[in-house]
Every structure is written in C-alpha cells, then in structure tokens.
Amino acid sequence: MMPDIKTVDVGFRFPDHGPIAVQLEDMVRWAAASGDYTAFHFDQDEAEARGFPAPVVHGPWKAAVLRSLVESWLGAVNIPEFSVRYLAPDFVGDAMVFGGEVAAIEASRHGRRIVRCDLWATRSDGVKTVTATCVATTDDGAEAATDLPLQRVMDSVRLGEPAGTFVYRIDGNDVDRFVDAIGGQRRTGPEADIAPATFYAALDPVERRDLDLDGFVQNLPFPKIGGGNAFNEVEYQRPLRKGDVITVTTRYTEVYEKEGSTGTLLFRVRENELRDADGELVATTRCGHVLAFDMAIARGVTS
Amino acid sequence: MTTAIDLRMLEEGHELTPAVQFTTTAQLVRYAGAANDYSGIHYDLGYAHERGFPDVIVHGFLKASFLAELACDWAGPGSWLRRFATRYQGIDVVGAPIVCRGRVTGIRIDERQVSLELWTENAQGARTTTATGQLQLGEEDLT
C-alpha cells in the first residue's frame, strides 16, 4: 500500500510516472490555459527555425505535472512551497519520466507534518531536464495561531534572495496588442519599436504566474477580506523595445504588516531587474502587493 | 524627431488636458491577455461579487497605463518615461468614467526632462490612482 503524508518515511521513492510521450495537444491546451502562445511550443516550423528538432515542452507544464503528482502521491496536502529549475528543453514526442522522493520530514510547532520532496523529470536518454523541491504539509485545517506568521511568510518568498529568473522575448505583436488594450496610439516612424512605459507589467513573472510563491499566504488560516496591488514603480535606463530579449530576475525585498481600517494588511514588496541580451540593465521595477486579513474574526474563532 | 512641447514656455503647475476613459469588459479582457494578468476580479462578475465588489474592477496597471499614455501623448513624439510610480488608492468598476489628469511639477531644460504628478478621479472626484513621472522629451525641433 502506498504510504500517505502521515506515514511516508525519509528516502521513500515515489513510483515513476511514465514514460509518457508528450503530445502536441498537451502543449496547445497548456497555451490556451496559460495564455503563453509562444509559437515554438506548438509549431514545428517555428521550433526548427530556432534550432530545435521539435516543439519545446512548456516549462510550467512540466512543473504542473510534478506538482499534481505530489498531490496524488501523498493524498490531500497543502503545498506551501514549490520551486523548480529548468535544466534542459524537452521536446514534443519524446518520452518523459517524472519521479520524486522524500528528502526530509519535520514537524511544525502546531503538530503538522512537513514533508520535503525532491522531484525531477528525465527525457528518454535519461538526462534530467527538470529538478524541483517542494514542501507538502498535512491539511489539518486552521492552526492555533492568532498572528500573521511574518517570519514564515518571509521564508516562503525567499526574502532578499533571487526568487526566480525568466527570459522573455518582446514580440512586436505583443507590444501592439498591449498598446491596443490600453487604448493607446501605436508609435510610428523611428520610435515605432518603443513599448509603452507600463509594458513592464507584461514581463512580471508573478503576474504571469511563472513564479508562484503564493501558496503559503493563500493557505494561511485567516479570513482574507481583500487584496491586490498597492503600488508599482519603474525606473528605466532606456525604453523597452520590440525585439528585446529581456532576462527578469525577481527578488522579494520587504514583508511587513500594517493595521488598516479594514483589517490586518500583509505587504509583500518585490523587485524585478530587467537586463537585455548584452547584460545591460534596462529597468528596475518594484511592486507592492497587499492582502487584508480579518484577524478579529480569526481570534474570535480560535480563542 | 520633434516634440510638441516648448520647454522655455512651460511653467510649473501647468495642467495637462484631461482625458476621460470609459472601460468595457472587452477592454479588460484584452488587457488581461496583453499583460498576462488573468485575475478573475477583472472579468468574472460572479467572482467579483464573491470578493465583495459591486462589479468587475479595472486593473490598476490599466489605470497606470492611461496616465502614462496621457503624459507621453502630451509630450509628443520621441518622449518616454524614465521613472513612473503609481499608487492604487481605490477601485474603479468597469464602465464608470475615469478622468485622467496631470500637472507639471518640475522642468529641467538642459536635460529636456519634465516631472509630473498624475492621477485618476472617479465620478465623485475622489483620486483612485496617483502617480509621479519623469518624462524624457524627444529632440528639440530646430526647424
């Protein structure tokens, strides 16, 4: 019988998932679900034009497969942390194998069992193309706590450390689409390739869900009564332009709480550094996100 | 490249001609696609109600975009924002008029830069988005 999150031991190797041949349909469905319509993920010609033998499997699709496997291996769990590294491309039609094992087990001070897992995917020649780590916890409902666990929020976003690096190519059509969406006027003449000042929004790994460190705060056992972006700032060295290949590194720089009129406000501030293909700094951005919790309700329930 | 602004004639306190934006759900969906921001409060009425909003709400970043475009349209061809900072003070629901305003707060003639404060107002006159920007103007028209 498969152990679950309450019985599994350190070193337990989960049964492999696969080999499965990734289908083109998987990629098209993922594109539709994610909104990432980058053509080399489903267009053979586009893939070959970039030197790939076949369409490239979406990285976040591979991460999503691994994440869902953890849930099926361990039963009903929370996954407050999940981080993934893409080591090499995978191609549609190749047979992939997804696997994982239990790396460590800890107990939270509230008695939850915390299971740390190492995960991976290999391609048909046995090379690892993805590695990931995740933290799964027993889903025992509300913890007996009445304050926001700020330190654990800080840990969950890897405060101060690079949380993720992503490369985005600024396609001319994407810029035009953005200009149209904001009701702006497309630039013409020598400045036709300049993107709008707010286009950096489209290059934010968190808004794009390429970087998701939200699990921990989303699963906090306090009633959420609101949230959203509190502020955005950008400082450009030069405008973003069509054709730029931009490497974005995200770092959370501040986690703090404030008492607001509607409840306890949890702020998380992240910074993105945008560099071009030559490694030159193009822009730095800051985004402050706020979540409002009704701690009075939480205290009433738990005390 | 030429610019529409004569910096020597410009004075601090100068107000930009306001623009009024009436958003539609279709525009919010277009923006969601263009920015890869698919939070349901911007197009899913049931979800917006669940979250306690009277209607779907306008993306903060879209309001920021309105203000950035107001600044660049005013400044003319070749202009771009070196710095742009936005604070979201309140929500705007889809369809409600969003009045976009701006005012000159600083002028650096040699660098051809203009500082601005910008804001959106709702129909009640409350500021729902406030921003500051530093515009870099295009080359001077020497013709």
Side-chain angles (χ1 to χ4, degrees), chain B residues 106-127:
Chain B
I107 302 161
R108 293 160 78 177
I109 292 181
D110 291 345
E111 290 89 352
R112 297 193 56 71
Q113 291 176 1
V114 176
S115 299
L116 297 168
E117 61 169 336
L118 301 144
W119 65 96
T120 65
E121 285 174 10
N122 62 20
Q124 289 73 46
R127 294 188 180 195

Side-chain angles (χ1 to χ4, degrees), chain A residues 242-264:
Chain A
K242 295 177 180 175
D244 274 337
V245 176
I246 299 293
T247 299
V248 182
T249 302
T250 300
R251 194 187 301 266
Y252 281 83
T253 55
E254 292 169 70
V255 170
Y256 56 91
E257 69 180 301
K258 268 188 187 174
E259 287 305 317
S261 56
T262 53
T264 300

Side-chain angles (χ1 to χ4, degrees), chain A residues 23-170:
Chain A
Q23 305 292 315
L24 201 54
E25 183 179 333
D26 295 327
M27 295 302 98
V28 171
R29 285 180 176 277
W30 183 262
S34 69
D36 178 1
Y37 288 100
T38 311
F40 66 75
H41 293 303
F42 49 76
D43 183 325
Q44 177 72 34
D45 292 343
E46 187 73 18
E48 285 176 9
R50 285 161 183 271
F52 299 122
V56 178
V57 177
H58 287 272
W61 180 83
K62 297 187 278 191
V65 170
L66 286 171
R67 196 179 169 118
S68 69
L69 281 172
V70 172
E71 289 164 5
S72 72
W73 285 327
L74 289 175
V77 295
N78 289 323
I79 301 180
E81 291 177 41
F82 189 89
S83 110
V84 59
R85 291 170 59 93
Y86 303 115
L87 307 175
D90 287 282
F91 302 107
V92 167
D94 193 25
M96 297 184 66
V97 177
F98 297 85
E101 66 186 8
V102 176
I105 291 177
E106 297 151 29
S108 83
R109 63 195 167 94
H110 303 294
R112 283 189 180 194
R113 201 157 193 250
I114 299 171
V115 177
R116 293 184 184 272
C117 303
D118 290 333
L119 311 165
W120 58 83
T122 56
R123 60 189 191 202
S124 57
D125 63 5
V127 170
K128 266 188 193 172
T129 56
V130 183
T131 58
T133 57
C134 95
V135 173
T137 66
T138 44
D139 189 8
D140 292 336
E143 293 192 2
T146 55
D147 291 308
L148 287 176
L150 279 187
Q151 184 59 50
R152 294 171 69 200
V153 175
M154 291 173 192
D155 293 345
S156 74
V157 296
R158 294 177 230 146
L159 188 71
E161 293 169 30
T165 297
F166 301 86
V167 180
Y168 302 122
R169 185 175 192 283
I170 302 182

